[in-house]
Amino acid sequence: MTILIEQPEFGVEAEETKVPVDEKELMLDGGFVVPQINSFGHTFRDYDAESERRQGVENFYHTNHIHQTYDFVKKMREQYGKLDRVEMSIWECCELLNEVVDESDPDLDEPQIEHLLQTAEAIRRDYPDEDWLHLTGLIHDLGKVLLLPSFGELPQWAVVGDTFPVGCAYDESIVHHKYFKENPDHYNPAYNTKYGVYSEGCGLNNVMMSWGHDDYMYLVAKENKTTLPSAGLFVIRYHSFYALHRSGAYKHLMNEEDVENLKWLQIFNKYDLYSKSKVRIDVEKVKPYYISLIEKYFPAKLKW
Ligand SMILES: O[C@H]1[C@H](O)[C@@H](O)[C@H](O)[C@@H](O)[C@H]1O
Ligand SMILES: [Fe+2]
Ligand SMILES: [Fe+2]
């Protein structure tokens, strides 16, 4: 079983002392090497580091935090819950992500299909028997097709970035929290307390998350009757919920099933985050394996 290392910076150092700082890596016992720096020379998820992506990412979160309100999310869930826009297979959807670049991500500027395969392949190496988790890696970000014209061409702030609950107070651990001051819900007494419209242990399934690629892909998978286990669906639905899985906020809303599933999400997150790199995967080579998983867990065509 792979050991989780919460703080890569404080982990085991590479044996050879002459290794330059920026090449130091951490080895998880499953084999996956956690790099200490991203392709831009910074630590991962550093939203303050001066880099070519910093300002764009901050602008992204500014708009995101203004517009993600309880009413907005409700409207989007109703609209997209109909799944009446497109019919296509999982693999066709992966190929569409060739054209998508995520403006919220300080660690990656490659087309998203690379990220999907990098995540899935890294998990596959360490967890060869958990084929459902390989497939979860492959599809977890497919919801980003919401950016494309046939899916409604939503703006980036309504598709990517970290997610958080709406209908209760925005936790301070959320990236660029200060911009919530411009969100009307922040001043609504029904929505701005610790529990807001929710109650202790109500279960994340009853909590409305900011709208984006996680919840959309969860909906698509569920409504098209995937046979993925509940942990796979949980990973898809909450993988951007860093306030929970990294900072431990909002735990008071979880139920027992959430607590179980969170363990898988925390494993998954290491691969989602630290596999981001400039090393390309040979798509044609790995395609047959993933096609076989898609056939095992999904119908041939899905409603999107
Ligand atoms: O910028 C990233 C990216 O959009 C990921 O797909 C999402 O899962 C992360 O939470 C987010 O911070
Ligand atoms: Fe994502
Ligand atoms: Fe991802």
Side-chain angles (χ1 to χ4, degrees):
M1 164 70 96
T2 296
I3 291 169
L4 296 182
I5 296 172
E6 289 308 327
Q7 297 285 343
E9 306 78 286
F10 302 123
V12 189
E13 293 191 356
E15 267 180 45
E16 175 57 64
T17 46
K18 288 206 194 87
V19 174
V21 172
D22 61 359
E23 284 175 23
K24 276 195 236 156
E25 292 165 332
L26 273 180
M27 186 81 90
L28 296 180
D29 73 342
F32 178 63
V33 173
V34 173
Q36 293 207 320
I37 53 160
N38 65 18
S39 321
F40 304 93
H42 302 286
T43 48
F44 284 81
R45 289 182 61 84
D46 184 340
Y47 290 88
D48 300 317
E50 225 15 273
S51 84
E52 55 195 272
R53 292 192 68 70
R54 197 199 65 80
Q55 192 59 54
V57 172
E58 181 160 349
N59 295 345
F60 163 86
Y61 275 107
H62 189 171
T63 336
N64 172 277
H65 290 357
I66 292 175
H67 296 295
Q68 291 278 357
T69 60
Y70 191 82
D71 287 347
F72 171 73
V73 173
K74 227 173 127 211
K75 206 180 80 196
M76 296 312 269
R77 275 197 178 186
E78 276 160 23
Q79 245 182 52
Y80 279 91
K82 295 187 196 136
L83 301 178
D84 59 357
R85 290 171 190 260
V86 181
E87 256 195 56
M88 65 166 66
S89 69
I90 291 278
W91 188 261
E92 282 173 287
C93 190
C94 292
E95 288 182 332
L96 287 183
L97 281 197
N98 240 330
E99 291 153 45
V100 169
V101 174
D102 181 329
E103 290 175 11
S104 72
D105 199 333
D107 303 313
L108 184 74
D109 61 358
E110 296 292 324
Q112 287 289 316
I113 190 163
E114 286 300 319
H115 168 59
L116 297 180
L117 290 168
Q118 285 172 344
T119 309
E121 285 288 286
I123 297 172
R124 187 178 168 194
R125 251 169 266 135
D126 282 4
Y127 292 86
D129 300 331
E130 314 290 344
D131 69 353
W132 63 273
L133 198 57
H134 312 163
L135 183 59
T136 300
L138 182 77
I139 68 172
H140 76 282
D141 272 339
L142 282 189
K144 292 181 185 176
V145 289
L146 290 174
L147 294 165
L148 302 175
S150 44
F151 293 81
E153 208 167 8
L154 292 182
Q156 292 259 344
W157 64 261
V159 179
V160 298
D162 289 1
T163 57
F164 42 83
V166 294
C168 62
Y170 301 117
D171 189 80
E172 294 214 344
S173 63
I174 300 167
V175 172
H176 292 306
H177 175 267
K178 58 182 180 286
Y179 293 124
F180 285 120
K181 286 202 192 88
E182 295 173 59
N183 181 313
D185 285 3
H186 185 63
Y187 301 95
N188 184 336
Y191 299 150
N192 67 6
T193 61
K194 180 175 175 191
Y195 285 98
V197 300
Y198 311 113
S199 57
E200 172 93 44
C202 63
L204 294 181
N205 189 34
N206 294 306
V207 172
M208 291 227 294
M209 299 295 294
S210 55
W211 178 253
H213 65 286
D214 298 45
D215 214 24
Y216 174 61
M217 191 57 210
Y218 162 76
L219 246 156
V220 169
K222 189 171 148 264
E223 294 304 318
N224 285 287
K225 311 245 178 315
T226 181
T227 51
L228 278 174
S230 126
L233 287 168
F234 186 92
V235 165
I236 293 168
R237 195 174 197 185
Y238 301 111
H239 74 270
S240 305
F241 192 2
Y242 275 80
L244 176 83
H245 65 71
R246 173 159 291 214
S247 310
Y250 299 106
K251 287 202 160 154
H252 51 278
L253 302 177
M254 294 202 301
N255 62 20
E256 275 172 32
E257 196 187 346
D258 296 330
V259 174
E260 276 313 300
N261 284 332
L262 182 60
K263 294 177 192 162
W264 280 111
L265 176 53
Q266 283 171 329
I267 290 170
F268 173 86
N269 178 249
K270 306 295 160 189
Y271 299 91
D272 182 15
L273 182 56
Y274 297 113
S275 69
K276 291 173 184 172
S277 85
K278 297 272 177 201
V279 182
R280 296 273 178 136
I281 304 267
D282 183 344
V283 181
E284 289 313 312
K285 200 168 141 209
V286 298
K287 185 174 165 184
Y289 175 66
Y290 289 103
I291 294 285
S292 74
L293 293 189
I294 293 168
E295 281 169 3
K296 179 169 171 189
Y297 290 102
F298 280 97
K301 292 272 179 201
L302 287 80
K303 296 198 307 166
W304 299 78

